[in-house]
Amino acid sequence: MAYEKPLPEPDGDRKPFWDGCKEHKLSFQKCKECDHVRWPPSITCPKCYSQQTEWIQAGGHGKVYSYVVYHQAFHPAFKDDLPYVVAVVELEEGPHILTNIVGCSHDKVKCDMPVEVTWEDVTEECSLPKFQPVNS
Ligand SMILES: [Zn+2]
């Protein structure tokens, strides 16, 4: 069955991130001057304005920084997922990324909850990073 939800459009500065996702790797730019790891990608570091950058691979662990539970589908393709969780996850390396929390009931999600990345291979060209509670 065709994937009917919107897909990312990997272009420009974002392409290395989405290319990494295809291989189930979370890749971020790290400033070579001040070590700030940033998201979204950009030409200059938002902390020190250096353009000296390298791509690093994040470990995929973090915590729920903030979240909302969607009870209404604002796109018809999400209707069967209701209720679902849209969250900002703070990765151990620092970046905050917008994602979904999966693998647990929406009413179990809490701020500061430890989570780890899990991959949803939605098309041959696209894998989406989602997060699930760490089983400890
Ligand atoms: Zn910097």
Side-chain angles (χ1 to χ4, degrees), residues 62-67 88-90 96 101 108-115 134:
K63 62 182 181 180
V64 175
Y65 181 81
S66 186
Y67 70 96
V88 175
V89 165
E90 181 179 278
H96 290 66
I101 304 298
K108 298 283 189 266
V109 177
K110 290 183 171 64
C111 286
D112 293 330
M113 184 172 85
V115 289
V134 174

Side-chain angles (χ1 to χ4, degrees), residues 31 33-36 45 47-50:
C31 175
E33 294 292 329
C34 75
D35 291 339
H36 177 64
C45 173
K47 298 284 187 197
C48 74
Y49 309 112
S50 169

